[in-house]
Amino acid sequence: MTIYKAPLADFSFLFDRVLRLDALSNVPGFAEASGDTRGAILEEAGKLSEGVLLPLNESGDREGCRYDAKTHSVTTPKGFKEAYRQFTEGGWSGLASDPDYGGQGLPAVLALAVNEMVVATNWSFAMYPGLSHGAYSAIHTHGSEEQKATYLPKLVAGEWSGTMNLTEPQCGTDLGLIRTKAEPQKDGSYRITGTKIWISGGEQDLTANAIHLVLARISGAPEGIKGISLFIVPKFLVNADGTLGARNGVFCGGLEEKMGIHANATCVMNYEGATGYLIGEPHKGMRAMFTMMNEARLGVGLQGLAISEIAYQNAVAFARERLQGRSLTGPKNEGGPADPIIVHPDVRRMLMDVRAFNEGARALLLWTGLWGDLEYRSSDAKTREKGGDYMALLTPVLKAYFTDQGFQSAVTCQQVLGGSGFTKHFPIEQFVRDARIGMIYEGANGIQALDLVGRKLAQNGGRALFAFLADAGEVADALVARPEFKAYGDRLHETRKFLEDATKWLMENALANPDHAGASSYDYLYLTAYVALGLVWGRMVLAARKALDEGAGEKAFFEAKLVTARHFFERVLPAAQVHAVRAKAGADGLMALAAEAF
Ligand SMILES: Cc1cc2nc3c(=O)[nH]c(=O)nc-3n(C[C@H](O)[C@H](O)[C@H](O)COP(=O)(O)OP(=O)(O)OC[C@H]3O[C@@H](n4cnc5c(N)ncnc54)[C@H](O)[C@@H]3O)c2cc1C
């Protein structure tokens, strides 16, 4: 049986003591999410996740989605429709959305915490409303007033879904190769023709309508990425009074059979002269789509954390029960035939690695998410600017590092279970299969690293990175100032220096040979992730120490936090050194073999 308990104590530690949300009550939406309300919302989301979504995770994986070629329809697994009804009726789809369109206007950082629980208990399910929210954001930011009025209230309510249509058979990473055509019509609409593949939730039976956001090329548009525009293509056209009209010419042509996330429909979508409406300006589609993609990238990073958390909880339960061998320091279960495997240091190593990732990643996700809120909601221009800078800098880092580690965590937890982890009697093999896609979709992780090094780093003369290094330096100083945490502060300073040196190395070498930037980028992204994790772990250490000094309740929680912090600084952060060396190794060795010599 799969277990999951919502990490509510960790959420309140982070919101109350580390991010101190209550001090932000002057920021719009934050007063409505103050202490008790926040706690109640998270508790309810925990109940929905544990009670409604978790029971459908394994059955959804076994059953998968079904396609009917006659009607081009897709049936989601048993129970999904009812769960989706409960999800939308509970208002979860509009938690952080604009109240002008029926949303609750709560901070997006709160929605991230809710989403962690929803994804942990049912990744496949979570993708349906997750992509709808991405479509909501793209239309909200770039759509006309009429488009917003037509589509947003239904997306916010979850009555209609949203999808993201970029990929075509010949184009994945390189969207300049898109062939889907858009022909202008006299009434201002466009006729969209082409085939999209691997479209998540492209067809399903959960919502009355689907709003497809589609990248296409207007006839006569410039070649490559500069000729791409973004269109709204509803499954059912919408009448002037908001009711559903004629069926549009977009049909699901089949489902992909795949390694994991079986309960999420991955669809071929055929656009057969479908009516589409341009969002924003012609040929500026990538700008608008990036709103959706950036949100989705943070959401995918979150998936890595979420799967790691549920894998951890199940591995811990197993390690407490499974009796094998004796503790190296003498029996701990004297009456029994053997000790539980949790007594063995090597099993501890695995569990502590995953635990330290989960707690650090949760803090980093919420810290980043808070900057995202401040970017849009703060009344202070400098804070808004910093919020935008941090979101831009950290989104590719979280997407790639969290999904790499999420998959690694699932595999590590599988290892804790030994052979049982490989069988279907336990849920971890599903977690391993589900986790793998996070590293691939929404831009493969290597592409995130290129985005960081090639675009984000240099933006505004490196302003985001310099601010980030300064913030990390301040946290390191605060740790050094306390003798008991001096070693942690020194380690963070050292890691920060690695990142500084790697940045200098890039500045000196990448222009002369761009392959150096490409060769360095992955390790550079890891170095950034380590500094960011060091920064948030430093803040957690100081907050937990303060809570203990004040004699706050839940002493065991704060003490455990300090133990996990110790693991992070002693055994996780030193790995940054390897990346520091590799980030400066250059491209010559990588590029030396001719392609035919491989
Ligand atoms: C289950 C699933 C769901 C999906 N959902 C959606 C969806 O809802 N909407 C949608 O539009 N798409 C979706 N996708 C597509 C997904 O986003 C792409 O698979 C992904 O972006 C990678 O593209 P690709 O598979 O064509 O790989 P390719 O672009 O062929 O890349 C293959 C490898 O080469 C590397 N590579 C490629 N170009 C470069 C370069 N210039 N420099 C360095 N390395 C490079 C990549 O990092 C990757 O490792 C989904 C895919 C799957 C499998």
Side-chain angles (χ1 to χ4, degrees):
M1 201 186 80
T2 314
I3 59 155
Y4 178 77
K5 203 148 177 17
L8 298 178
D10 213 24
F11 286 134
S12 42
F13 169 66
L14 291 168
F15 284 145
D16 300 350
R17 293 181 173 274
V18 181
L19 303 176
R20 303 190 43 246
L21 290 199
D22 290 342
L24 295 169
S25 56
N26 57 339
V27 178
F30 279 68
E32 291 75 21
S34 63
D36 288 348
T37 319
R38 198 161 62 226
I41 291 171
L42 292 170
E43 201 176 317
E44 279 310 306
K47 277 190 205 152
L48 177 87
S49 303
E50 292 168 18
V52 177
L53 304 180
L54 185 63
L56 299 176
N57 198 27
E58 190 194 331
S59 58
D61 177 59
R62 290 230 176 104
E63 192 183 328
C65 293
R66 273 170 295 128
Y67 174 66
D68 181 338
K70 275 200 207 119
T71 55
H72 304 286
S73 62
V74 169
T75 309
T76 55
K78 193 157 168 262
F80 269 50
K81 235 175 154 161
E82 171 56 20
Y84 186 78
R85 192 187 60 73
Q86 290 190 42
F87 183 88
T88 51
E89 283 183 7
W92 298 107
S93 53
L95 202 66
S97 305
D98 187 343
D100 285 352
Y101 301 102
Q104 297 176 52
L106 292 166
V109 68
L110 190 63
L112 285 175
V114 168
N115 286 347
E116 186 201 314
M117 298 183 268
V118 172
V119 175
T121 46
N122 203 319
W123 178 317
S124 289
F125 176 91
M127 282 176 70
Y128 295 108
L131 281 155
S132 301
H133 194 271
Y136 155 87
S137 297
I139 298 174
H140 191 264
T141 311
H142 303 281
S144 66
E145 288 310 314
E146 191 194 342
Q147 288 169 338
K148 290 190 213 180
T150 306
Y151 302 107
L152 294 186
K154 298 289 189 185
L155 284 170
V156 169
E159 285 176 45
W160 298 352
S161 70
T163 74
M164 186 172 80
N165 293 243
L166 292 75
T167 309
E168 298 179 9
Q170 77 293 347
C171 97
T173 301
D174 187 354
L175 294 171
L177 301 175
I178 278 177
R179 283 191 201 140
T180 297
K181 280 190 314 198
E183 295 163 75
Q185 304 298 294
K186 287 205 181 96
D187 64 357
S189 69
Y190 290 77
R191 268 173 71 84
I192 311 289
T193 308
T195 298
K196 298 285 177 180
I197 60 166
W198 302 338
I199 304 308
S200 300
E203 182 64 53
Q204 34 74 15
D205 57 355
L206 306 175
T207 59
N209 201 5
I211 308 305
H212 305 295
L213 293 197
V214 184
L215 285 182
R217 193 180 289 287
I218 298 173
S219 339
E223 286 295 301
I225 206 80
K226 295 210 165 96
I228 307 284
S229 305
L230 182 63
F231 299 88
I232 295 176
V233 184
K235 175 176 168 183
F236 288 98
L237 298 174
V238 183
N239 297 321
D241 64 357
T243 55
L244 293 187
R247 179 76 167 86
N248 203 357
V250 45
F251 301 97
C252 175
L255 289 183
E256 199 64 49
E257 294 217 7
K258 54 197 196 292
M259 173 178 173
I261 56 164
H262 290 151
N264 192 269
T266 307
C267 305
V268 173
M269 298 302 290
N270 294 319
Y271 290 83
E272 302 171 359
T275 300
Y277 309 101
L278 183 70
I279 305 187
E281 293 172 52
H283 320 317
K284 296 269 164 43
M286 286 311 294
R287 229 183 100 231
M289 197 49 137
F290 259 112
T291 302
M292 185 164 188
M293 280 155 69
N294 275 334
E295 177 171 323
R297 284 176 176 178
L298 206 62
V300 174
L302 179 152
Q303 290 175 329
L305 158 65
I307 203 82
S308 182
E309 174 64 34
I310 192 166
Y312 169 77
Q313 292 191 21
N314 284 275
V316 168
F318 183 91
R320 284 197 182 118
E321 302 242 310
R322 175 73 172 162
L323 304 181
Q324 290 292 295
R326 285 294 184 193
S327 159
L328 296 171
T329 51
K332 300 290 181 289
N333 176 29
E334 282 184 6
D339 286 336
I341 60 171
I342 200 162
V343 304
H344 303 308
D346 190 59
V347 173
R348 291 294 186 111
R349 169 187 64 79
M350 294 189 271
L351 293 177
M352 288 302 289
D353 276 354
V354 178
R355 183 186 173 102
F357 167 67
N358 294 351
E359 293 182 18
R362 182 172 298 122
L364 180 53
L365 176 78
L366 298 182
W367 184 71
T368 308
L370 180 56
W371 282 115
D373 271 321
L374 294 175
E375 175 185 1
Y376 293 105
R377 298 177 191 236
S378 174
S379 56
D380 174 51
K382 274 271 156 216
T383 307
R384 284 200 304 275
E385 179 182 277
K386 188 169 175 182
D389 283 355
Y390 272 15
M391 281 297 276
L393 183 78
L394 293 172
T395 296
V397 178
L398 267 58
K399 193 283 177 182
Y401 184 81
F402 283 17
T403 54
D404 277 6
Q405 293 308 310
F407 178 69
Q408 183 55 56
S409 291
V411 172
T412 301
C413 291
Q414 190 176 39
Q415 192 71 13
V416 170
L417 268 72
S420 302
F422 200 66
T423 71
K424 288 201 179 279
H425 296 297
F426 289 87
I428 301 220
E429 64 84 30
Q430 182 192 341
F431 301 154
V432 172
R433 287 185 287 103
D434 286 353
R436 188 63 183 85
I437 188 59
M439 300 153 80
I440 298 171
Y441 62 13
E442 273 319 317
N445 283 358
I447 303 305
Q448 305 299 322
L450 289 178
D451 178 43
L452 175 67
V453 165
R455 293 181 60 233
K456 303 298 175 57
L457 205 52
Q459 268 173 12
N460 305 305
R463 189 175 68 200
L465 185 81
F466 293 131
F468 173 67
L469 287 169
D471 279 353
E474 264 178 37
V475 173
D477 285 343
L479 291 169
V480 168
R482 300 194 61 136
E484 61 180 318
F485 302 131
K486 181 174 179 307
Y488 300 174
D490 288 342
R491 180 77 76 197
L492 180 52
H493 269 309
E494 177 193 60
T495 315
R496 193 183 150 283
K497 181 86 176 43
F498 291 152
L499 181 59
E500 236 170 26
D501 288 351
T503 310
K504 269 193 212 131
W505 186 90
L506 276 176
M507 277 160 37
E508 284 158 14
N509 293 279
L511 273 184
N513 179 1
D515 273 347
H516 284 325
S520 173
S521 59
Y522 215 85
D523 291 289
Y524 188 90
L525 182 141
Y526 265 56
L527 275 181
T528 315
Y530 279 119
V531 174
L533 287 167
L535 186 160
V536 292
W537 263 116
R539 291 190 55 177
M540 286 196 285
V541 162
L542 297 167
R545 179 74 266 164
K546 186 161 182 279
L548 285 168
D549 291 347
E550 287 168 355
E554 299 136 50
K555 194 163 167 262
F557 175 89
F558 300 118
E559 284 171 350
K561 188 62 79 183
L562 290 180
V563 172
T564 313
R566 178 177 178 182
H567 183 82
F568 173 78
F569 282 103
E570 281 182 1
R571 300 183 69 102
V572 179
L573 202 50
Q577 197 153 9
V578 173
H579 299 288
V581 174
R582 289 204 301 228
K584 296 197 287 186
D588 298 349
L590 290 181
M591 305 310 284
L593 282 185
E596 53 279 10
F598 277 82

